[in-house]
Amino acid sequence: MPDFDVYTLPESEVTISNGAVLDGVTQGDGSHLLGETITLNSNNWEAVTVSDNDSNFADNDGNQTLANAITYDGVAYSAGRRVEAEYTLTVEDPDGNTYTIIAFNIVEPGGGNPYSTVEGLAFIDPRPPIGVPLTVVGTAEGPSNSTYLFDDYFTPPCFVSGTLIRTPDGEICVEELQRGDLVVTFDNGPQKLEWVGSVHLTRDDLINEPRLMPILLNWNHKVLRVSPQHRVLASGWNVEMICGESEVLVTAKHMVGRNGVRRMKAEEIPAAGITYCHLMFAQHQIIYSDGIPTESFRPGPETKASMPEAWQEFRRLFPELTPDGANFPVARRVAKAFEARVI
């Protein structure tokens, strides 16, 4: 069975008002948390590798198991232990923004109700902020096996090497750009790159972890290749009608199957693998990649977990940077998955 990574936050890193707990004490529907506030105290995300026979992370799915032995929140679990997405919470921050949180459950040995323990939280993109009280405004049992894909959970955004980036001196391959180079931005003209980075994935890496496969956007007689989490600027009457904004950022993986957007196939992976490249400015920007407006890299909670050395460099460059990236605001509102799929 294929393996998938789910980034989670253990319960010890979460504070809930009135002494409430995550454990599914109300038949696993999360209703005991309705009206409570949940605060995510850190960005100490735990990447849990799940084996599954399909691409959905759901409740009551006996095929979802730990791919390897792990110690989670101080407790050791053996490989093959069943895991579930126990219940769904809708939370709201003080500014009225809503987010979707999934209760992450490692089913305990020895019988008993499988919903009786919830070990942590998983997050549907976009993620909620760290250190902000989030009011639980909706709860539901599940998700079902057709609600959320593993792809609906976050991974860092980046470009595939070979992507042409617009600069004042013309288009330059992303991997050739260096810190200090100028890049043309959508909103603010030429801006200096403050950080560049890259990660290489072998062909075997991508075949064994298909959710990391590049997304191909076949637009304007060009094919842009980006990571699944990368966001593209969308505009038009349908965007305004659905999102109430003239422009929004749409996550590439949420567009798969629509308008010439698809995931790269295994046979298309170069023998040398794929290199994902990151470009970061002093603020989140929209830049032109192969002529298409897309986002620059924005450091957020997942960065500290997945790119710890880069995070230390970010803190040296931007000492005011908070762990959740809250003081590094997004250039446009990010469309939710259901909005993206109908734009």
Side-chain angles (χ1 to χ4, degrees):
M1 292 194 296
D3 292 341
F4 305 89
D5 284 339
V6 179
Y7 282 83
T8 67
L9 193 65
E11 186 172 25
S12 63
E13 303 290 341
V14 175
T15 298
I16 308 176
S17 60
N18 296 314
V21 295
L22 296 179
D23 290 351
V25 297
T26 50
Q27 298 299 312
D29 63 3
S31 60
H32 65 292
L33 296 174
L34 191 63
E36 303 291 353
T37 60
I38 295 177
T39 303
L40 313 180
N41 296 322
S42 78
N43 59 2
N44 295 326
W45 312 107
E46 296 278 352
V48 180
T49 303
V50 178
S51 294
D52 198 358
N53 66 343
D54 59 42
S55 57
N56 298 85
F57 188 46
D59 189 17
N60 296 320
D61 186 343
N63 294 305
Q64 296 170 175
T65 60
L66 293 176
N68 49 268
I70 64 170
T71 298
Y72 190 88
D73 217 9
V75 178
Y77 298 94
S78 59
R81 176 67 54 201
R82 180 177 166 183
V83 294
E84 295 182 342
E86 188 57 51
Y87 55 77
T88 302
L89 303 176
T90 301
V91 299
E92 184 177 83
D93 68 17
D95 294 326
N97 302 304
T98 59
Y99 307 88
T100 301
I101 296 178
I102 305 296
F104 177 75
N105 177 20
I106 304 174
V107 179
E108 299 293 333
N113 292 322
Y115 60 77
S116 60
T117 62
V118 171
E119 283 70 29
L121 299 173
F123 307 93
I124 303 300
D125 188 66
R127 303 164 307 282
I130 302 295
V132 174
L134 307 165
T135 302
V136 179
V137 295
T139 69
E141 189 171 359
S144 71
N145 206 38
S146 61
T147 306
Y148 294 117
L149 300 170
F150 282 99
D151 272 353
D152 289 322
Y153 297 80
F154 66 83
T155 54
C158 37
F159 298 101
V160 174
S161 61
T163 301
L164 294 175
I165 304 298
R166 187 177 300 176
T167 78
D169 297 319
E171 294 190 321
I172 297 177
C173 286
V174 63
E175 66 270 25
E176 297 177 7
L177 292 170
Q178 300 178 17
R179 182 182 174 189
D181 288 347
L182 292 176
V183 170
V184 175
T185 68
F186 189 88
D187 298 311
N188 301 300
Q191 293 292 312
K192 182 176 69 172
L193 282 169
E194 298 290 346
W195 178 84
V196 297
S198 65
V199 59
H200 182 75
L201 298 175
T202 68
R203 193 171 189 277
D204 286 344
D205 289 336
L206 291 163
I207 290 174
N208 294 329
E209 190 64 65
R211 69 192 293 262
L212 299 178
M213 285 278 200
I215 304 298
L216 278 59
L217 296 89
N218 190 357
W219 292 348
N220 300 330
H221 307 292
K222 296 182 178 181
V223 178
L224 173 65
R225 300 180 298 165
V226 295
S227 66
Q229 194 69 19
H230 210 105
R231 299 176 179 121
V232 178
L233 186 68
S235 61
W237 65 266
N238 53 340
V239 171
E240 188 142 13
M241 181 179 68
I242 294 164
C243 301
E245 307 273 354
S246 60
E247 297 173 332
V248 295
L249 288 168
V250 180
T251 307
K253 65 185 180 183
H254 294 157
M255 296 186 285
V256 169
R258 294 161 176 80
N259 300 323
V261 181
R262 65 176 179 86
R263 193 177 295 273
M264 180 179 281
K265 300 175 183 177
E267 58 268 26
E268 296 174 313
I269 304 170
I274 290 289
T275 297
Y276 282 129
C277 302
H278 309 275
L279 301 177
M280 180 177 164
F281 301 85
Q283 66 187 74
H284 192 225
Q285 300 282 359
I286 295 168
I287 62 177
Y288 296 93
S289 49
D290 285 335
I292 297 173
T294 61
E295 68 170 338
S296 64
F297 183 80
R298 178 179 179 267
E302 74 282 3
T303 309
K304 187 176 181 181
S306 62
M307 304 168 64
E309 293 182 2
W311 180 259
Q312 294 303 317
E313 188 171 356
F314 297 154
R315 292 305 300 270
R316 290 194 296 272
L317 293 170
F318 308 101
E320 72 281 6
L321 186 64
T322 58
D324 66 343
N327 59 345
F328 205 94
V330 68
R332 298 290 191 281
R333 180 170 86 77
V334 178
K336 298 182 183 299
F338 74 90
E339 294 174 326
R341 287 170 179 144
V342 298
I343 288 176

